[in-house]
C-alpha cells in the first residue's frame, strides 16, 4: 500500500503548494473540504496543473493521484481515510482549525496502526499545529480516558510555510499559478521515536521559532505593508505599490525595525537578514504574479492581532526599548484604514468596531494590547487618528 496523506482544504495553497509537494514525494492525496463546488471539480477532474512563476520563466507541473471527499456529507469516509493514512495536513485558515478538529479526532481515535499519524498544519500562523492539537484534545472531541495515550496514535508538529499564491485567473478551474520560490520548515523533535515522514520539500529543524518569526516578521510584514499602503494610495498590485519609491522606502523601514528584533533575538547575522529582506522585496515585487492589494490586505482583523505581523514585532521591540517602531505604527494605521473592502468580511467588521468603540477599547479588542503594554499608548494614538479622519469624511 502506498503512502497516503489526508489534506484539509482544497484551495490554492492546498492544491498548489501542499498537495503538489506531497504528490512529488509519492503520496496519494485525499482532499477534504466542505465546499461542494471544489470537491465536485476534484472528483470529476483526474489531473490539474501547478505553474511555477519565477524570474527564470515558467514551469508547469501536472498533479494526479488524488481523491476528494466532502466532510460535511461524508464524514465517516473521512474518518476511515484518517485511520489508514500516514499524514494529515491542512491549509484552511487559522480560524477554521476548530471546525476540522472533531473529524480528525475521530480518525485518530479509531487508528490501529503501530506508527502514529503525523499531523502538520500548514497555516500562516505561529504554532498552528499546537492550536489544532488543543482543539483535537478538547473533551468534546477526545474522551479524557483516550488522552493519556493519544501520542501513540498521533504526532503533532508545527510548521512554517512560505510561498506566494497570487489571485488566479477567473477561468483557471483547479489549475494554480504560484511563485517558484518556496520554504516549508517543520520541527523534527516530535518525531524522535518513529522518525518523520519522508517529504522531499520539507526542511526538518530542531527549533522552528527562528524560522517562523523571520518569515512572519519579514515576508508577511513586508507583503502586508505594501498592500495596505498600496490600497490607501490607489495602487492596483503589490508590484505597482513597490514601484512607488515612497512606499518601497516605507516597507524597507518597517523591515529594518523587524530585522533589529530578528537579529538580536535569534542570533541571525545582520548580513544574512539583510540578504533575506532584499530577496523578499524582490519576490513580492514580481510583476508576473499580478498580486492585487485587496487580496493581500484581506482579513485585517487577524493581521492586526497580538501575535501577527505588525503588533507582534512592534510590541516586542517596545518591550526591549532599543528600537523605534514608527514605521510599524504607520503600517498599523494603513491596516486600520482598510475598511469596507468588497469581498472581505473582516474589513466590514473592522469598520463596525471602529465606529462603535473608543480607541482604547479598539486596541484591546483588535490588537490584544492593554495599559501595561509599552506599545499600547502609541497604538491608541494611531486608532484615534484613524477614527478622527473618518469622522471628518462623514461630515
Amino acid at each position: 500500500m502506498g503512502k497516503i496523506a489526508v489534506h484539509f482544504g482544497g484551495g490554492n495553497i492546498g492544491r498548489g503548494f501542499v498537495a503538489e509537494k506531497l504528490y512529488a514525494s509519492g503520496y496519494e492525496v485525499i482532499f477534504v473540504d466542505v465546499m461542494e463546488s471544489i470537491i465536485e471539480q476534484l472528483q470529476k477532474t483526474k489531473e490539474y496543473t501547478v505553474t511555477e512563476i519565477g524570474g527564470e520563466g515558467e514551469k508547469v507541473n501536472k498533479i494526479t493521484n488524488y481523491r476528494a471527499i466532502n466532510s460535511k456529507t461524508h464524514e465517516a469516509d473521512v474518518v476511515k481515510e484518517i485511520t489508514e493514512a500516514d499524514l494529515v495536513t491542512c491549509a484552511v485558515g487559522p480560524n477554521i482549525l476548530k471546525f476540522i478538529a472533531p473529524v480528525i479526532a475521530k480518525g485518530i481515535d479509531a487508528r490501529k496502526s503501530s506508527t502514529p499519524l503525523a499531523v502538520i498544519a500548514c497555516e500562516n500562523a505561529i504554532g498552528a499545529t499546537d492550536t489544532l492539537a488543543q482543539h483535537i484534545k478538547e473533551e468534546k472531541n477526545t474522551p479524557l480516558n483516550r488522552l493519556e495515550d493519544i501520542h501513540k496514535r498521533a504526532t503533532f508538529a508545527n510548521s512554517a510555510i512560505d510561498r506566494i499564491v497570487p489571485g488566479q485567473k477567473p477561468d483557471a478551474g483547479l489549475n494554480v499559478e504560484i511563485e517558484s520560490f518556496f520554504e516549508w520548515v517543520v520541527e523534527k523533535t516530535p518525531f524522535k521515536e518513529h522518525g518523520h515522514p519522508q517529504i522531499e520539500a520539507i526542511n526538518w529543524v530542531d527549533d522552528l521559532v527562528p524560522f517562523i518569526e523571520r518569515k512572519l516578521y519579514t515576508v508577511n510584514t513586508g507583503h502586508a505593508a505594501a498592500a495596505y499602503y498600496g490600497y490607501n494610495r490607489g495602487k492596483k498590485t503589490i508590484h505597482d505599490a513597490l514601484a512607488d519609491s515612497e512606499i518601497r522606502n516605507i516597507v524597507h523601514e518597517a523591515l529594518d525595525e523587524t530585522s533589529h528584533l530578528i537579529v538580536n533575538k535569534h542570533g541571525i547575522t545582520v548580513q544574512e537578514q539583510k540578504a533575506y529582506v532584499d530577496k523578499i522585496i524582490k519576490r513580492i515585487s514580481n510583476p508576473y504574479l499580478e498580486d492585487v492589494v485587496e487580496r493581500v490586505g484581506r482579513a485585517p482583523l487577524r493581521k492586526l492581532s497580538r501575535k501577527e505581523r505588525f503588533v507582534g514585532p512592534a510590541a516586542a521591540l517596545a518591550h526591549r526599548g532599543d528600537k523605534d517602531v514608527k514605521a510599524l505604527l504607520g503600517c498599523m494605521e494603513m491596516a486600520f484604514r482598510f475598511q469596507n473592502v468588497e469581498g472581505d468580511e473582516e474589513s466590514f467588521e473592522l469598520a463596525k468596531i471602529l465606529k462603535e468603540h473608543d480607541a482604547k477599547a479598539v486596541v484591546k479588542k483588535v490588537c490584544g494590547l492593554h495599559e501595561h503594554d509599552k506599545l499600547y499608548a502609541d497604538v491608541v494614538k494611531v486608532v484615534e487618528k484613524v477614527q478622527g479622519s473618518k469622522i471628518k469624511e462623514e461630515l
Side-chain angles (χ1 to χ4, degrees), residues 227-243:
Y228 290 130
Y229 270 100
Y231 175 79
N232 282 286
R233 298 192 181 185
K235 308 296 183 182
K236 182 182 178 183
T237 67
I238 299 299
H239 170 73
D240 295 337
L242 289 171

Side-chain angles (χ1 to χ4, degrees), residues 214-227:
R214 185 177 73 158
K215 186 262 176 176
L216 183 62
Y217 298 164
T218 309
V219 182
N220 296 88
T221 300
H223 211 194

Side-chain angles (χ1 to χ4, degrees), residues 56 95 119 135 141 168 187 190 220 280 286 291 308 311 358:
E56 65 286 351
N95 296 334
V119 181
H135 290 307
N141 294 325
Q168 304 295 305
E187 56 185 353
N220 296 88
I280 297 312
N286 187 344
D291 216 359
E308 267 284 348
V311 179
D358 65 21

Side-chain angles (χ1 to χ4, degrees), residues 3 30 66 86 96 131 135 152 191 224 232 255 263-264 287 295 350 354:
K3 297 185 291 185
I30 315 297
Y66 59 83
D86 302 279
I96 306 300
T131 302
H135 290 307
K152 295 180 180 178
F191 297 103
N232 282 286
L255 297 185
V263 166
N264 285 281
R295 188 201 74 81
L350 174 60
L354 285 163

Side-chain angles (χ1 to χ4, degrees), residues 12-13 16-17 20 50-54 163-166 168 176-181 289:
N12 295 330
I13 286 285
F17 183 6
E20 180 213 10
V50 174
T51 303
E52 299 180 4
I53 303 170
R163 201 174 198 184
I164 296 171
V165 185
Q168 304 295 305
V176 181
E177 290 187 348
I178 197 165
E179 73 163 330
S180 55
F181 175 90
L289 289 175

